[in-house]
Amino acid sequence: MEPYLDILHEDEDILVLDKQSGLLMVPGNRPGLEDCLTARARAHHRHASLVHRLDKDTSGVCIMGLHHRAQRHLGRQFEKRRLSKLYVARVTGHLRDDSGTIDLPLGTDPDQRPKQKVDHEHGRSAVTHWQVTAREPATDTLPSGATRLLLRPETGRSHQLRVHLLALGHPILGDNFYADDHVLAAAGRLQLHAFALTLRHPTGGTPMSFFAPVPF
């Protein structure tokens, strides 16, 4: 029996999956961490290879190439930013505006690897556009309420959305890297989901969009 895969689309060139939260993309560097999305995908199709990554605790749309030409074509689209990614997040508090852009350079925090931080001196450019889709009222566990956001990153820096929203003063609920204990405890998982991916098919270049239902 093959390990569980939530397949959104499959053809001769690509495999599109809905990754679950908590699943590694590649094997970990310690015993017992062999289970990952890549291993499961290769049990289904032995040539499946990653062309981009999601954080372990982020769920949602992930695409793999099934041969070298497809992998190269997809990789160029990510590298040249010739595609569109949309994420859904729930953050603590109520944002004052209904939409905006976060333009803050990011770099590795050398004292807390693998954490990232805003770094105006040595960081790499990182841009995230955000739009409020709902504001949730205050509760006992979230006295400041919560906001549901649609996020469109222009760049793909490590932990970009998590650090950008933290810098905005509204960390993502359930974030075990950047949120305080109260915000972490308010959700059972990281409330960040790769909702949609739009790109060109590696054979023929037809624009295609893939969607994964939001699980929170």
Side-chain angles (χ1 to χ4, degrees):
M1 181 177 178
E2 290 184 358
Y4 175 74
L5 276 181
D6 191 345
I7 298 174
L8 300 173
H9 173 86
E10 182 179 10
D11 57 38
E12 294 182 352
D13 302 301
I14 60 176
L15 178 65
V16 187
L17 305 170
D18 182 358
K19 186 186 91 70
Q20 66 195 68
S21 177
L23 181 65
L24 292 166
M25 295 292 289
V26 296
N29 55 10
R30 299 192 307 274
L33 298 178
E34 295 81 11
D35 184 29
C36 63
L37 190 67
T38 300
R40 294 185 185 190
R42 287 182 176 169
H44 176 75
H45 191 294
R46 65 190 181 96
H47 294 301
S49 292
L50 290 176
V51 293
H52 71 121
R53 296 193 183 197
L54 300 175
D55 291 344
K56 173 187 174 183
D57 295 323
T58 302
S59 56
V61 181
C62 181
I63 189 168
M64 295 187 177
L66 298 182
H67 51 76
H68 181 67
R69 181 181 58 79
Q71 293 154 16
R72 188 174 66 249
H73 190 284
L74 294 169
R76 282 201 302 266
Q77 291 188 64
F78 279 93
E79 180 183 356
K80 302 296 184 182
R81 304 177 192 172
R82 294 173 179 166
L83 44 74
S84 175
K85 297 175 284 184
L86 289 176
Y87 290 75
V88 170
R90 287 180 69 234
V91 303
T92 183
H94 289 167
L95 281 76
R96 180 184 61 187
D97 299 322
D98 291 333
S99 62
T101 296
I102 307 167
D103 186 352
L104 292 171
L106 301 177
T108 301
D109 185 339
D111 298 322
Q112 301 185 79
R113 295 177 184 273
K115 283 188 175 183
Q116 306 294 301
K117 66 176 183 177
V118 175
D119 186 344
H120 292 283
E121 185 176 359
H122 303 292
R124 301 171 69 192
S125 171
V127 178
T128 302
H129 305 285
W130 57 270
Q131 180 179 346
V132 173
T133 59
R135 290 182 175 90
E136 303 174 16
T139 64
D140 290 341
T141 55
L142 281 172
S144 60
T147 303
R148 187 176 291 262
L149 299 172
L150 190 64
L151 306 170
R152 182 172 64 83
E154 283 190 17
T155 49
R157 308 301 179 209
S158 180
H159 293 185
Q160 175 175 323
L161 302 178
R162 300 162 80 165
V163 178
H164 270 178
L165 289 165
L166 177 69
L168 202 63
H170 298 274
I172 298 176
L173 293 168
D175 191 338
N176 63 350
F177 263 60
Y178 301 100
D180 60 29
D181 290 343
H182 173 72
V183 176
L184 174 61
R189 51 152 290 184
L190 178 70
Q191 304 281 276
L192 180 63
H193 178 75
F195 168 63
L197 177 64
T198 298
L199 43 67
R200 293 188 177 275
H201 194 278
T203 298
T206 302
M208 300 184 74
S209 294
F210 305 101
F211 302 89
V214 180
F216 52 81

